[in-house]
Every structure is written in structure tokens, then in C-alpha cells.
Amino acid sequence: MSTPSVAPETAQRSLPLLPEAAADSLAAMLGDEPVSRARLMREVLALAARLPEGRPLLNLCSSRYQFALGLLAGICRGNLSLLPNSLAEGNIAALRERHPDLLCLSDQGSMPFDLPGLHVPARDPGGPTPEMPLIPDDRLVACVFTSGSTGQPQAHLKRFGKLVRNVHSQADCLRALTGPGFSVLGTVPFQHMYGLESTVLLPLFGGGVLAAAKPFFPGDVADTLARLPVPRVLVTTPYHLRNLLESGTPVAPLACVMSATAPLAVELARQAESSLGAPLMEIYGSTETGQIATRRPTGGDAWTLHEGIRLHQGAEDLSQVEGGHVEQPQTLGDIVEKLDERRFRLVGRHADMINIAGKRSSIAFLNHILLAIEGVRDGAFCLPREGEAARLAAFVVAPGLRAAEITAALRPHVDAAFLPRPIVFLDRLPRNATGKIMAADMQALIARHIPASDHDAKA
């Protein structure tokens, strides 16, 4: 894993680190403990004073609040925060090789991976309310990595001003549903671009309240939400949302639910809005672009671009976005249909498009049909091998169902060329914290459960 070279700053203007707010206004919740804006800034600047200027940071804090302290302190001090998609030893070793002076930030008792580092406490040093720092808007502040769900993770640098503009667009969309002020709780990891934007930067830069907790199980999500001030916003994924709804756990009133990382079935969106009593806003974006569009799935399939983002369609189903907070023109990984200057429809993902017997479909579409089958708790199509004998297979978590029943349920909606064979039943799928299945994990499943000779025989 490598990171791009860091160019020197050429700042022409500066922005305040955080938007204007009263010193005693609520900035975060540490469990049941409220944190004021003044305390947050005292902790940020105390940590910034301890950082060696310009040294790259590996922020491994497990608390969302302490992670935010480390990120903001690095922004103040001019330290680039490296946010790898995985903490596998190989990834960390690659970062250390690229950045020999890497400094770890942690809220644990000892430094992970035997890295040199600093402990990040959650403790108010006291004193007067500090003056808000001004940050060059083109300061490089973070290096985020793609998830690896379609191949090797790629690094992308983010500048302070672009991140602020990104979050302001998101906050404008959110406030249309919640009104002013909101508490944000996320079930997604905050090192991931979606989690970084929506559970850390959105409350910090958008005038909300950051929740330090990172619950996973439905009961923990409900318990944490109940302790947050209203209006409450839940930032989640289709996978986590499905688990919450299937658990039947009562949830405190919500003002909005946000979802991203995978296409959301309209049926699941309707169920969520009905059960949770809140509008569901779906986010479209990527690590490369950040969040660039939103939609309410129950209101239609069209996405609306954030202000300033421009979409261009080219040949061979390739589309490009630029403008707004997008660092540089980016080719989308998805096939989209442009409806007008602000709206588009999602057709499928380039990496998901398959052609079997002269017929074309999308893995994402097929997964959507599979997950809509009653009794299927989780599932994913795959293409074990390509070529003339190519045939799809599927891994499913569906206690009580047989393969013939799943095939029968798929047949009215899926061309016979795309019916999976074999269907492999598992107790669980190896989804990561954002609900995705990494390319390497899918290949491992194929190697373990669908030997080439067996697949050739079935094809």
C-alpha cells in the first residue's frame, strides 16, 4: 500500500477549523457525558501542541471522539492523517516503509504494531476558551484508501477546504429533513470515507453533535440513540439496517436515517421508513470523489448531485464528475444515465457488469433480487471463472430454504443465463465493518467451496 507524494501548500485563503458556535454549545457526547465546544477546542489544541509538526499520523483511536481529536489536532499542526482501509499487518508494514517517520495516535494502553506514538486522552485540560485556528483551505489533511472490494486499495489525498465544502453540501441536504442541529450516530467505521464524512466531519463541520460510541448490535444501537439529544440521525449501511429491522428492537425517535456503501433495495427503504418513522436518505459517492449525490429511495430512483458537481457522459458507458469539492476530475466506477444537469440514474457498476451467452446483467442487480427473497438473510452472486463456460454461482445465508426454492424465486426476475449454479449455503458471509465483501475474501470463498472441476461439471 503506497500513498501519493505530498506537494507543498500554496495557500491563498484560510478557513476556521470549526464553524462559529457558542463556547458552551454541545459538540459531542462521550457516553452520557456532554462535551462543550470550548472543551473540544482545548483538547484539540493541547494535543496539537504535542505533535511534531509535519510528521504523518496513523490515527488508531478506537473512540470516535478521540479519533476526531487526533484528526483536528493534525489539521491544526499540518500533519497528514493516513487512514488505511484495513489494519492488516501487511498494510501497516507498507505504510511504515513509505513513511519511516510515521507516528501512531492511540487511546489504548500501548501503541499498536510497536509504532512510536502518542496517547490521546479524553480529558479537559481546563483554561479559557481558545481562539479558533485558521487553516489554509488547500492544506492536505488526510490520505484515505479505497475499500479493496474490487481490487487493491488505492490512496487519495484530501484537502481541508474541499472536505469542508463536501460536508456543507451534505449538511444542507440533511437540515432540509431534520431542521437545525442534529446528533449523529454511526454504525460504520470512521476510517472509511463514508464514515469519516458522515459520522465525524458532518457533526464537526456541519454544526451537529458527534457521538463517540460505535455500536454494532441492534440493542447497542438503540441504547446509544436513546441517550442522544434530538433530533437524532442514524448513519448506517443496508447490511446493518437490515439487521436492525429484523431484530425488532425498538428505537428512539429519529429525524433521519442515512445509508451508503451498497445499493439499497426500495423494499428495505420502505420498511425502514415505516418501522423507524423517519425519512431515509441514501448517499452516492466514493473514496475518490467523496459524497456527490443523494436521493430518497422511496421517492424515486433519480439521484440529485450536490451543488457545484458536474456530470459528463462519454463513450463506452464512461462518466466523469468534477467541480465542487471533487479534488480532480474522476471517472465513475458506475454506469449512469444522465437525466439532466443535476440528476442521474444508476444503471450498474463497471466491475459488476457480466456477459453470459450474449446477455448482459449486473452483479449488484442480481444481489438485489436475491436479497429480496423471503427467508434469505444474506447473499451474494459471484462469477467463479470467466470464458465460454462461465456460469454464476451464489453464496447464501438462508436457514430453512433449499437451493431449488431459491432458484424458483429467482426465475421470474432473472434470465435463465444468470441463474446461479451452484448455490452454496453458509452460516455467514465475510462482510467487513461497512457491509462489503472484499475481492480477496470472495476469491477465498470460491476456492474453498467451488473447485474448478466441480464448477465445470455443473456448467
Side-chain angles (χ1 to χ4, degrees):
M1 177 184 294
S2 63
T3 54
S5 300
V6 178
E9 294 175 6
T10 56
Q12 295 182 349
R13 69 188 187 104
S14 295
L15 302 171
L17 176 67
L18 297 178
E20 183 178 352
D24 60 354
S25 62
L26 185 63
M29 290 294 296
L30 273 170
D32 292 325
E33 181 184 4
V35 177
S36 69
R37 168 63 71 88
R39 172 183 165 179
L40 170 67
M41 285 310 306
R42 285 193 292 265
E43 292 189 65
V44 166
L45 295 182
L47 178 59
R50 298 168 56 205
L51 292 177
E53 187 174 1
R55 191 167 172 179
L57 305 177
L58 179 62
N59 192 336
L60 298 184
C61 291
S62 59
S63 161
R64 199 183 317 268
Y65 179 72
Q66 279 139 295
F67 174 87
L69 292 179
L71 180 68
L72 293 178
I75 291 173
C76 292
R77 191 68 170 159
N79 302 83
L80 182 71
S81 291
L82 307 180
L83 305 176
N85 69 304
S86 164
L87 298 184
E89 289 190 10
N91 283 357
I92 303 303
L95 286 179
R96 295 184 75 169
E97 183 176 354
R98 173 75 173 176
H99 304 278
D101 56 344
L102 189 65
L103 184 71
C104 180
L105 300 181
S106 176
D107 52 6
Q108 304 303 302
S110 59
M111 290 297 138
F113 305 103
D114 294 324
L115 285 165
L118 289 175
H119 184 259
V120 180
R123 184 177 61 250
D124 188 354
T129 301
E131 185 176 343
M132 185 62 62
L134 294 177
I135 310 299
D137 72 340
D138 63 350
R139 173 170 289 178
L140 292 168
V141 297
C143 180
V144 294
F145 293 81
T146 55
S147 66
S149 59
T150 58
Q152 289 298 313
Q154 301 296 316
H156 294 273
L157 293 167
K158 303 295 178 179
R159 298 177 188 274
F160 178 70
K162 296 284 190 178
L163 288 177
V164 170
R165 185 169 182 175
N166 179 352
V167 169
H168 284 177
S169 296
Q170 185 185 10
D172 288 343
C173 295
L174 182 59
R175 277 192 289 267
L177 299 173
T178 68
F182 42 80
S183 300
V184 179
L185 177 68
T187 66
V188 292
F190 34 83
Q191 290 87 356
H192 180 270
M193 190 63 190
Y194 168 49
L196 175 68
E197 290 169 316
S198 298
T199 72
V200 178
L201 301 183
L202 175 62
L204 290 174
F205 296 164
V209 177
L210 180 148
K214 51 175 190 176
F216 178 82
F217 296 106
D220 296 331
V221 172
D223 181 63
T224 307
L225 281 171
R227 305 205 308 264
L228 293 178
V230 296
R232 305 178 184 95
V233 176
L234 177 63
V235 177
T236 189
T237 72
Y239 176 69
H240 295 141
L241 183 59
R242 182 187 293 271
N243 288 343
L244 177 63
L245 296 176
E246 289 181 349
S247 74
T249 304
V251 174
L254 291 166
C256 180
V257 179
M258 296 173 59
S259 177
T261 73
L264 182 70
V266 175
E267 294 83 357
L268 182 59
R270 290 196 184 107
Q271 183 187 356
E273 292 197 347
S274 175
S275 299
L276 302 176
L280 190 148
M281 182 169 70
E282 193 173 8
I283 305 294
Y284 178 83
S286 65
T287 301
E288 298 91 330
T289 64
Q291 301 178 14
I292 60 171
T294 61
R295 71 173 180 178
R296 187 171 176 181
T298 57
D301 61 357
W303 295 86
T304 300
L305 291 166
H306 285 325
E307 196 69 37
I309 303 294
R310 299 183 298 277
L311 171 66
H312 308 287
Q313 287 198 284
E316 299 180 356
D317 291 331
L318 294 179
S319 298
Q320 191 176 73
V321 291
E322 64 178 353
H325 61 263
V326 178
E327 290 282 350
Q328 56 188 10
Q330 291 287 345
T331 299
L332 296 180
D334 293 303
I335 301 171
V336 303
E337 176 189 357
K338 186 175 180 179
L339 302 176
D340 55 40
E341 290 306 307
R342 292 291 307 281
R343 299 183 309 132
F344 66 90
R345 185 178 292 116
L346 187 61
V347 177
R349 189 160 182 80
H350 287 289
D352 281 348
M353 299 308 294
I354 50 175
N355 193 317
I356 296 178
K359 298 177 180 179
R360 197 175 186 221
S361 189
S362 156
I363 292 287
F365 167 76
L366 297 171
N367 287 342
H368 165 73
I369 300 299
L370 178 62
L371 290 170
I373 297 173
E374 186 173 354
V376 174
R377 295 182 180 175
D378 199 5
F381 274 78
C382 67
L383 187 64
R385 61 179 302 182
E386 298 182 3
E388 293 183 4
R391 190 173 184 95
L392 290 167
F395 296 102
V396 297
V397 179
L401 290 183
R402 294 178 293 113
E405 293 173 306
I406 293 176
T407 300
L410 289 171
R411 197 178 300 275
H413 309 286
V414 174
D415 189 283
F418 302 115
L419 291 174
R421 193 170 68 192
I423 295 174
V424 179
F425 289 86
L426 300 174
D427 293 330
R428 59 178 294 275
L429 293 182
R431 295 189 182 275
N432 66 7
T434 63
K436 293 184 178 182
I437 302 174
M438 298 295 98
D441 292 331
M442 179 59 78
Q443 289 304 313
L445 283 180
I446 292 170
R448 188 178 310 122
H449 297 283
I450 313 176
S453 57
D454 179 61
H455 186 260
D456 289 343
K458 293 181 184 296

